Amino acid sequence: MCRPRPRLLHINRFSGSDGSTDNTDNASNSDNSKNNLEDYKSQPDDGKTLRWGIAPVSLMADDFAAALSVLPPHRHEIVSCAAAYRSHAVAFADKYEVKNVYTSFEDLARCQSVDVVYISPLNPLHGELCHLMLNHDKHVLCEKPICMSESKTEMLLRKAQARGLFLMEGMWPRCVPAYHYLRHQILRNRLGDVQNVHCTLGLPVSQSKLALYGGVASDFGVYGIQLALWVYREVPEKVRATGKLNEENVDVVASIELAFSHNRWANIEVSAEEKLSNKAIVQGKDGCIKMTNYWCPTRLITEDTDYEFPLPGGDEVITHYHNRLGMCYEAEEVRNCILNGCTQSELFNHNESRLLANLMDSIHAQLGVGRSREVYTEFQLENDLKNSTETATDLDTGEAENLSTKKKGAGA
C-alpha cells in the first residue's frame, strides 16, 4: 500500500513595519498544512503608504496591480498610470481606482504624487524609461532587463546612485518565500556541497514577439542564471553558450553553461520553439531540491517532503501570467528598502545587475557568431557582497555571501 508523501505547508507572513518577520522553521510542526493563511489585509501597519506610478499599462502591470491588492491596506497605492491610448489608461484606472491618468510618460514623471514607478514596456525601452523617471527624482522598479547591454546598465546604475534613488531590476523570484527557504537549506548544509544547478525553460513564442523581447536567452535564460547565482553566490569563472538563430539573427534556442569554482556547474536550457520540462534541480552531494516553474515557485520537492508556499490571495485573484501574485513580495521589498533609505535591494543588488548584464553580453556574443567558445568573465565587482549573517533558525535569508571575481591573467 502506497503512502502519500508528507507535505509541509509553510505560512509566510509579510514583514512588519519594523522590518521584522514572522516566519518559522519548526521541524516538529509537521501539521502546518492544517493552518489557514493569514488574513494579510488585517495586519496593522503605521508606516508610510508607498505611492506607485505605472509606466505603461500592460498585462504585466495589471498583474503587478493585482499583487498589490493582496497586501495589507495602506502600504501601497497606485496613484498614476500612463498608456499610449487614453482608453487603456482609463480602463486600468477605473479597475484599480487610480487618480491620475496620462498618455505621456513625461507627464507621469512630473507627477508630484508618485514615489516610485513600476516599468514594464518592451525590453528595449526599459533603459530609456528608467532614465526619464530617475531624472525626475522617482524611485524605480523595472522589469528585467533594466538595459540591453552592460555599458548601458552601468550608466543607469551610476545615475541612480548619484541621485540617491532606489533602483531595482525586477528579479522578483528572489523575493518569494520558496527562494528564501532554498537558500536557508543550502546554508544549513542540508544538501551537502552543491555541485550542479540544472534549469530548463521552454515555451513556444511567436517569432515577432521574440524579437521584441531580445531573444530567448534574454527573456528565459536570465531566470536560470539568477538562480545559479543565488545558489553559488559567486561570479562564474567561465560562460559558454551554443544555440540556434532564426532568419532575423534572434536566438530561439540556447544552451548555457556556467563554470564556478571547485568544479561546480550550472546548465541552463531554454527554447522558444517547444515546451520543455520547465523545472530546476539543485543537486548536492547529500541530496537535491527540485522546483517546477522555478521562476515563480510555490513548491520545493525533496526526496522526503514536498514543501508548499501558497501565495496570498489564492484563487480569488486572477492574473494573466502564472503565479504573478508572487510579485507582492517584491513590492514589499521595494517598500521596505525605500522607507529605510536604501538605494538598492540586497536580494538582487546593483552588482548582480552588472554581473547579469556582463554575462548576457558574453552569451549574446557567442550565440551571434554561431559557435561555442569559452570566455572568462571580464567582470569586476566594485564591492563584494557581504557575508551572510543568517542563522540556522532564520528563514528570512536574503543576505548574500561574499562574491569573488576571478579574472584571467589579472589580479582582483
Side-chain angles (χ1 to χ4, degrees):
M1 176 177 170
C2 296
R3 293 184 178 181
R5 288 166 55 84
R7 180 171 294 171
L8 299 186
L9 188 64
H10 290 265
I11 308 304
N12 298 285
R13 299 177 176 85
F14 291 104
S15 60
S17 59
D18 60 353
S20 62
T21 61
D22 195 18
N23 292 332
T24 60
D25 182 31
N26 190 344
S28 65
N29 189 16
S30 60
D31 62 345
N32 278 343
S33 59
K34 299 179 182 179
N35 296 338
N36 293 322
L37 279 175
E38 281 272 323
D39 181 4
Y40 296 103
K41 293 188 176 182
S42 68
Q43 293 185 10
D45 182 13
D46 297 329
K48 176 185 175 184
T49 299
L50 192 64
R51 302 171 300 175
W52 289 87
I54 302 296
V57 169
S58 64
L59 294 182
M60 295 181 69
D62 193 69
D63 283 353
F64 183 74
L68 293 184
S69 73
V70 306
L71 291 167
H74 312 305
R75 293 195 180 191
H76 303 266
E77 180 185 6
I78 301 175
V79 298
S80 299
C81 64
Y85 296 98
R86 184 173 179 81
S87 59
H88 293 175
V90 169
F92 182 90
D94 290 343
K95 183 176 181 180
Y96 295 106
E97 299 180 354
V98 179
K99 299 175 183 178
N100 304 300
V101 173
Y102 302 105
T103 56
S104 163
F105 293 129
E106 288 81 2
D107 289 342
L108 187 147
R110 296 188 188 99
C111 180
Q112 297 299 312
S113 302
V114 173
D115 300 315
V116 56
V117 179
Y118 172 73
I119 293 176
S120 62
L122 296 175
N123 290 354
L125 299 178
H126 287 184
E128 181 180 351
L129 272 184
C130 286
H131 278 289
L132 174 64
M133 299 305 165
L134 292 175
N135 287 340
H136 287 82
D137 294 322
K138 299 295 187 288
H139 303 292
V140 170
L141 170 63
C142 179
E143 284 293 336
K144 57 81 181 170
I146 55 173
C147 291
M148 301 301 289
S149 69
E150 182 185 8
S151 60
K152 292 181 179 179
T153 297
E154 181 63 32
M155 291 176 59
L156 184 64
L157 296 175
R158 288 185 181 277
K159 173 175 285 188
Q161 287 288 345
R163 299 182 73 92
L165 295 169
F166 177 85
L167 170 64
M168 182 179 181
E169 186 168 6
M171 206 61 70
W172 63 277
R174 291 288 185 88
C175 304
V176 301
Y179 265 59
H180 287 218
Y181 190 77
L182 168 65
R183 185 75 194 127
H184 175 70
Q185 294 296 84
I186 293 172
L187 289 174
R188 295 185 69 182
N189 204 34
R190 292 294 178 85
L191 306 181
D193 293 334
V194 177
Q195 300 171 319
N196 185 261
V197 176
H198 184 261
C199 305
T200 62
L201 176 50
L203 296 169
V205 179
S206 69
Q207 300 293 305
S208 59
K209 287 185 177 180
L210 190 62
L212 296 174
Y213 298 152
V216 72
S218 289
D219 204 37
F220 291 172
V222 292
Y223 289 117
I225 294 173
Q226 66 82 25
L227 176 59
L229 297 177
W230 182 247
V231 169
Y232 291 128
R233 307 313 294 152
E234 68 175 50
V235 175
E237 297 176 339
K238 300 176 185 177
V239 55
R240 181 165 54 193
T242 57
K244 174 184 176 181
L245 305 180
N246 62 16
E247 295 179 354
E248 298 176 350
N249 288 324
V250 176
D251 52 300
V252 295
V253 176
S255 177
I256 303 166
E257 183 180 80
L258 303 177
F260 294 85
S261 63
H262 308 297
N263 198 31
R264 299 175 299 169
W265 300 86
N267 303 97
I268 300 145
E269 300 173 24
V270 291
S271 173
E273 294 186 331
E274 60 179 342
K275 184 175 181 179
L276 301 179
S277 61
N278 298 344
K279 65 180 180 181
I281 301 176
V282 180
Q283 182 67 56
K285 287 185 177 181
D286 301 328
C288 73
I289 290 180
K290 299 178 182 179
M291 292 186 288
T292 56
N293 300 323
Y294 59 91
W295 58 97
C296 53
T298 57
R299 177 186 296 179
L300 299 183
I301 302 171
T302 68
E303 296 177 357
D304 301 321
T305 307
D306 292 359
Y307 294 90
E308 297 276 357
F309 302 87
L311 297 174
D315 297 330
E316 298 177 3
V317 183
I318 305 301
T319 57
H320 300 281
Y321 299 104
H322 188 61
N323 285 352
R324 282 281 174 169
L325 286 182
M327 289 193 291
C328 64
Y329 297 103
E330 179 184 51
E332 279 290 271
E333 172 66 10
V334 172
R335 179 179 181 275
N336 291 336
C337 288
I338 291 176
L339 294 187
N340 287 313
C342 302
T343 58
Q344 58 186 309
S345 165
E346 282 307 308
L347 296 183
F348 196 81
N349 64 24
H350 290 180
N351 280 332
E352 285 201 88
S353 287
R354 290 185 176 97
L355 173 57
L356 184 61
N358 172 270
L359 294 174
M360 292 310 304
D361 279 0
S362 297
I363 291 167
H364 286 150
Q366 294 182 60
L367 294 175
V369 297
R371 61 188 179 89
S372 173
R373 60 186 178 88
E374 291 185 351
V375 295
Y376 286 80
T377 54
E378 297 291 333
F379 182 81
Q380 179 67 47
L381 289 176
E382 293 181 354
N383 299 293
D384 290 340
L385 290 179
K386 296 180 180 179
N387 280 326
S388 173
T389 58
E390 301 145 312
T391 64
T393 58
D394 183 7
L395 282 182
D396 189 19
T397 54
E399 294 294 325
E401 294 176 334
N402 282 342
L403 291 180
S404 58
T405 305
K406 293 190 175 182
K407 194 173 181 181
K408 185 178 180 182

